Amino acid sequence: MSTAPENRNVRTNVPKVAKVKNKLPAPVQITAEQLLREAQERQLEGIPPPPKQKITDPEELRGYQLRKRKDFEDNLRKNRTLMGNWLKYAAWEESQREIDRARSVYERGIDVDHRSMALWLKYAEMEMRNRQINHARNIWDRAVTILPRANQFWYKYTYMEEMLGNIPAARQIFERWMKWEPDEQAWFSYIKMELRYKEVSKARNIYETFVTVHPDIKNWIKFARFEEQHSGAGDARKVYERAMDFYGDELMEESIFIAFAKLEEKCKEFERARMIYKYALDKLPNEDAKELYKSFTQFEKRHGDRAGIETVVTSKRRRQYEEEIEKNAHNYDVWFDYVRLMESEEDEEAVREAYERAIANVPPIQEKRYWRRYIYLWIYYALFEELVAKDVKRTREVYMACLNLIPHKKFTFAKIWIMLADFEIRQKNAASARQILGNGIGRCPKEKLYKSYIELELQLREFDRCRLLYEKFLQFNPSCCTTWVKYAELETILGDVERSRAVFELAINQPIMDMPEVLWKSFIDFEIGQEEYENARSLYEKLLERTQHVKVWISYALFELNSEENGAADRCRGIYERANNALKKVEAKEERLMLLESWRDFEIQQGGEKLDSVQRLMPRKIKKRRKAQNDDGTDGGWEEYYDYIFPDSEENMPNFKLLQMAKKWKKQQSSI
């Protein structure tokens, strides 16, 4: 068997794969929504209108009708539940003047879905257009029997009977409808029909049934306005009274009270209207009576006086305060506003009752900060009894009740003790005032009580009692400089200088004082006032042993200058020199600068003989930098400050002579 020789030069035709040159996205992108929109636009462009068909032959008409009926029947077989097919079929039969056939289509559709409102409406309207009244009446009757809650059937049924002039039939249909208790608009339609034919009594009977079926406030108001329009204000008033009895106090609303009051206002019964407003404000809560307050205010502006308007505003505010108090009885700010409001009404018993209610809300915690606002209720109560009610006995009882209520072992209020004592003084009972203040000091000593007691005895010119009280006061608080000064001033006024000096001596020897500078100044001024200059100098020397404050040195120097003795200027200059040396040792630069400025002013007043020596002591002011730290200890960067370089301190600086020579050379060079 031979084989064919292999031909290696033969080429096979294998297709080449196309190479994609650019795989980047196109610069203009097209979305799916854009494609759909363009397709819809192009589809709508070329739709030709359907051709018009003219039928001129009866045979052609029957053929056309046969084809249309076949199409309608085919659509019904495809979907019997689609009511649109039935309506189109019946409408087409009606257009062909085939009323029986159209009626048959409607009946077939009702058999499929008897709850279709559109089917019943079109069926009845077809009968009405073709003046088939009995057929239409039959259809409406069947529709309202099958669908009694479809209000549109009832409206059209009654409208048809009324248009036909068959009012008894329309009334009978309304009565059938009302047995189903429809919505409010159906009742109003019935009432309006009766009113159109002047049947007011029948409309009233309908309203009687209506307000029991729909017992809303607005319906009672409409009933009352109906009576006002057709029967008069008397029957309308009876309707409002029946409504109030029907609802009671819990379910009432402000609208019926406003309507009732406006009725009385129209009848010129202003007092009756005012009583209605007040009764409503007493019964309704504040949040439900905003419009009522507004109407009452406008009523008082029209028919009342200024007192009546103020009564309306006051009652509104009172109700607001009552509601806030019910939420939080310990809100004493509200109680303050409430009692002020009650005081404006000038009814003492009502004000007294309000105060009693307020003070009954004792703070639950025995801490003074919780009692500060509460205690003012007692103060205002006592002032009311004294100044307004003029009842001295009750005022005293209020103060005593307040003192018995305060827990004096934990804290007290000196104001109450002092006010009670002042009250007794106004009643010319000094013994009771002393007893009250003494009792207060004994139970809970306070500085205010001591000061008030001392002030009382000073006014009564009982100086021995004042001395005794000052001694007790200083035993209670020996660190109070003001007390020592006042005690010494009292002795000075009484002319006992030695006792006054002894008091000052005792005071400056106390180990702890709250304001020692005041005490020393008063003692020095006392000695100067007595012209005891040596004693004043010794006091200054004692004070300088305790403190080296610059103001003490300056005051000492000015004292020597004003002492009006021989050599006062030299002594003053000596004090300045001592002060300069003392402040130089403690390195108090700013205080030393203050001293030198005062010294310079002194030398200027003395003629300037030794002014140059003081000027040579004045420092140079230079600006420096130093590192700053924040409150938390971190680095705060650099800050600038001013420092003072005194001449005597420059001499001790290193290279001072070299710096002085350089400065002198620079000055010579600038002058050349």
Side-chain angles (χ1 to χ4, degrees):
M1 183 176 180
S2 61
T3 60
E6 183 179 357
N7 188 1
R8 297 182 178 179
N9 297 324
V10 178
R11 295 182 180 179
T12 58
N13 294 326
V14 179
K16 295 181 179 180
V17 179
K19 294 182 180 180
V20 179
K21 295 182 180 180
N22 188 1
K23 295 183 179 181
L24 296 175
V28 179
Q29 299 291 319
I30 300 176
T31 61
E33 292 80 1
Q34 186 176 357
L35 291 173
L36 292 173
R37 186 169 59 252
E38 291 179 356
Q40 184 69 19
E41 290 175 356
R42 292 177 182 177
Q43 183 180 1
L44 294 175
E45 289 175 358
I47 299 177
K52 295 183 179 180
Q53 185 178 7
K54 294 183 179 181
I55 299 174
T56 59
D57 187 70
E59 291 296 332
E60 188 179 0
L61 177 60
R62 284 192 293 271
Y64 165 73
Q65 291 176 345
L66 181 61
R67 288 194 306 272
K68 291 292 289 184
R69 289 192 182 102
K70 186 177 181 299
D71 292 338
F72 281 121
E73 292 292 342
D74 290 340
N75 291 334
L76 293 177
R77 278 194 296 271
K78 291 177 183 178
N79 191 356
R80 293 174 58 85
T81 59
L82 185 60
M83 290 295 107
N85 294 334
W86 295 100
L87 294 175
K88 291 177 183 178
Y89 192 5
W92 182 81
E93 292 290 358
E94 184 184 0
S95 66
Q96 300 298 318
R97 299 289 188 263
E98 295 288 346
I99 304 302
D100 292 335
R101 285 180 178 274
R103 192 177 290 126
S104 176
V105 173
Y106 277 120
E107 291 292 341
R108 288 168 61 195
I110 290 172
D111 291 338
V112 174
D113 185 7
H114 65 278
R115 302 183 65 84
S116 176
M117 294 180 60
L119 198 61
W120 286 104
L121 288 172
K122 295 294 183 181
Y123 190 7
E125 288 173 357
M126 183 198 72
E127 298 290 358
M128 293 170 65
R129 279 195 300 271
N130 293 280
R131 300 181 182 278
Q132 300 293 327
I133 303 302
N134 290 328
H135 281 282
R137 188 178 287 121
N138 185 21
I139 294 167
W140 288 125
D141 192 81
R142 289 166 59 195
V144 298
T145 304
I146 295 173
L147 299 174
R149 294 297 180 186
N151 293 338
Q152 194 173 4
F153 294 162
W154 295 100
Y155 283 123
K156 287 186 174 292
Y157 193 6
T158 55
Y159 179 72
M160 183 190 74
E161 295 293 350
E162 189 175 358
M163 289 295 101
L164 295 173
N166 193 1
I167 306 304
R171 186 178 292 115
Q172 186 178 3
I173 294 167
F174 269 118
E175 289 294 335
R176 286 177 57 192
W177 189 10
M178 296 303 110
K179 291 179 181 179
W180 290 96
E181 296 182 359
D183 57 6
E184 298 174 358
Q185 188 59 40
W187 292 88
F188 293 142
S189 299
Y190 190 12
I191 293 170
K192 289 178 181 178
M193 189 199 75
E194 297 293 357
L195 292 177
R196 281 196 294 270
Y197 298 101
K198 311 300 181 182
E199 296 289 346
V200 178
S201 60
K202 291 182 179 180
R204 183 180 294 109
N205 295 332
I206 298 169
Y207 261 119
E208 293 285 350
T209 310
F210 171 53
V211 294
T212 57
V213 174
H214 294 282
D216 293 336
I217 295 290
K218 59 181 181 179
N219 296 332
W220 283 95
I221 295 174
K222 290 180 180 179
F223 187 16
R225 288 174 180 171
F226 164 80
E227 293 291 355
E228 180 184 0
Q229 183 178 0
H230 296 90
S231 299
D235 292 338
R237 188 180 293 116
K238 291 179 181 178
V239 173
Y240 282 120
E241 293 173 355
R242 284 176 55 195
M244 292 181 181
D245 295 336
F246 179 80
Y247 286 103
D249 295 336
E250 298 179 356
L251 302 176
M252 291 299 292
E253 296 179 2
E254 60 178 352
S255 57
I256 192 168
F257 288 110
I258 295 173
F260 195 5
K262 287 183 178 179
L263 171 68
E264 299 295 349
E265 186 178 357
K266 288 180 182 178
C267 299
K268 308 298 182 182
E269 296 287 347
F270 302 128
E271 289 300 324
R272 290 176 65 92
R274 187 175 288 107
M275 292 303 296
I276 291 169
Y277 277 122
K278 292 182 179 180
Y279 175 80
L281 292 175
D282 293 337
K283 297 298 181 181
L284 295 178
N286 190 31
E287 62 271 9
D288 297 336
K290 295 180 180 179
E291 293 297 328
L292 188 65
Y293 277 112
K294 188 183 296 184
S295 299
F296 192 16
T297 305
Q298 294 174 355
F299 169 79
E300 290 293 345
K301 288 180 180 179
R302 289 193 299 267
H303 307 291
D305 51 4
R306 182 176 179 181
I309 299 173
E310 291 179 353
T311 302
V312 176
V313 177
T314 302
S315 61
K316 181 179 180 180
R317 290 174 58 191
R318 186 191 303 118
R319 291 172 66 85
Q320 292 177 350
Y321 293 145
E322 290 285 352
E323 291 177 359
E324 293 181 7
I325 289 169
E326 288 180 1
K327 295 178 182 178
N328 183 11
H330 292 90
N331 189 353
Y332 301 117
D333 293 331
V334 178
W335 280 112
F336 290 141
D337 297 335
Y338 185 47
V339 295
R340 289 193 193 101
L341 179 65
M342 299 303 295
E343 287 179 359
S344 64
E345 295 183 357
E346 299 180 355
D347 187 355
E348 294 184 2
E349 292 300 326
V351 175
R352 196 170 284 126
E353 182 182 357
Y355 273 117
E356 291 293 339
R357 289 176 57 197
I359 62 178
N361 298 288
V362 182
I365 302 174
Q366 290 188 354
E367 293 184 15
K368 190 169 184 177
R369 59 193 181 100
Y370 294 106
W371 285 63
R372 292 186 187 278
R373 300 291 291 165
Y374 169 72
I375 209 68
Y376 275 94
L377 289 172
W378 288 93
I379 294 174
Y380 292 156
Y381 189 11
L383 293 176
F384 166 77
E385 293 291 351
E386 180 183 1
L387 302 178
V388 179
K390 308 295 184 181
D391 194 335
V392 176
K393 182 179 179 182
R394 288 188 64 89
T395 305
R396 188 178 289 110
E397 291 176 354
V398 170
Y399 277 121
M400 295 307 296
C402 179
L403 290 174
N404 293 331
L405 182 65
I406 298 173
H408 298 287
K409 293 183 179 180
K410 295 184 177 181
F411 59 86
T412 189
F413 290 93
K415 184 183 294 291
I416 302 298
W417 296 98
I418 295 170
M419 291 185 69
L420 179 55
D422 292 341
F423 167 74
E424 294 295 347
I425 291 296
R426 287 193 293 272
Q427 306 304 318
K428 300 179 180 180
N429 194 351
S432 297
R434 288 194 181 100
Q435 184 180 1
I436 290 165
L437 291 174
N439 189 14
I441 292 173
R443 295 179 65 179
C444 44
K446 294 188 70 174
E447 291 186 7
K448 287 184 179 180
L449 291 176
Y450 279 108
K451 291 178 181 179
S452 299
Y453 200 175
I454 292 170
E455 184 66 24
L456 172 64
E457 296 298 347
L458 283 175
Q459 292 176 358
L460 297 175
R461 300 297 186 266
E462 294 289 343
F463 302 114
D464 292 335
R465 289 179 178 270
C466 291
R467 289 192 179 101
L468 182 61
L469 287 171
Y470 270 122
E471 292 174 3
K472 295 290 185 182
F473 191 6
L474 292 173
Q475 291 176 5
F476 168 69
N477 186 11
S479 63
C480 183
C481 293
T482 307
T483 308
W484 289 101
V485 173
K486 292 290 185 182
Y487 190 11
E489 289 178 355
L490 173 65
E491 297 295 347
T492 304
I493 293 172
L494 296 177
D496 198 340
V497 178
E498 294 300 327
R499 284 181 65 91
S500 179
R501 185 176 290 112
V503 170
F504 276 121
E505 291 290 343
L506 286 174
I508 63 175
N509 292 325
Q510 295 297 319
I512 300 174
M513 301 297 288
D514 54 358
M515 293 184 295
E517 64 277 3
V518 175
L519 180 63
W520 282 94
K521 184 178 184 304
S522 299
F523 196 3
I524 293 171
D525 291 343
F526 164 75
E527 295 294 353
I528 294 174
Q530 299 298 324
E531 297 182 357
E532 297 289 342
Y533 299 116
E534 291 299 329
N535 292 340
R537 290 190 185 94
S538 63
L539 286 175
Y540 272 117
E541 294 295 337
K542 289 181 181 179
L543 182 57
L544 289 173
E545 292 176 0
R546 299 190 180 189
T547 179
Q548 294 289 324
H549 199 278
V550 63
K551 290 186 178 180
V552 178
W553 286 106
I554 295 174
S555 177
Y556 192 7
L558 295 177
F559 159 71
E560 292 292 353
L561 181 63
N562 298 324
S563 61
E564 298 179 358
E565 295 181 352
N566 296 328
D570 295 334
R571 286 195 300 273
C572 178
R573 190 175 293 109
I575 297 297
Y576 277 121
E577 292 176 355
R578 286 177 57 194
N580 184 33
N581 295 329
L583 295 177
K584 177 181 177 182
K585 294 178 182 179
V586 298
E587 295 184 358
K589 295 183 178 181
E590 294 183 356
E591 289 81 358
R592 189 179 176 189
L593 175 62
M594 188 185 303
L595 177 72
L596 291 174
E597 289 176 350
S598 177
W599 191 0
R600 181 184 59 190
D601 296 339
F602 161 72
E603 294 296 345
I604 292 173
Q605 291 178 0
Q606 296 299 320
E609 296 178 358
K610 298 183 178 181
L611 181 61
D612 294 337
S613 60
V614 178
Q615 290 287 359
R616 286 194 294 271
L617 295 175
M618 297 298 290
R620 291 187 300 108
K621 185 178 180 180
I622 61 174
K623 184 186 293 186
K624 291 185 177 181
R625 296 178 65 197
R626 61 186 175 189
K627 280 190 174 183
Q629 287 186 346
N630 298 323
D631 296 336
D632 54 358
T634 58
D635 188 8
W638 293 85
E639 65 177 2
E640 293 183 349
Y641 71 99
Y642 289 98
D643 194 9
Y644 299 97
I645 305 299
F646 289 88
D648 52 2
S649 62
E650 290 179 348
E651 296 177 358
N652 299 325
M653 293 175 61
N655 302 324
F656 175 72
K657 292 184 179 180
L658 180 62
L659 293 173
Q660 289 289 98
M661 292 175 65
K663 186 176 181 181
K664 183 177 180 181
W665 176 81
K666 184 177 181 181
K667 187 175 182 180
Q668 290 176 356
Q669 291 294 327
S670 61
S671 61
I672 294 175

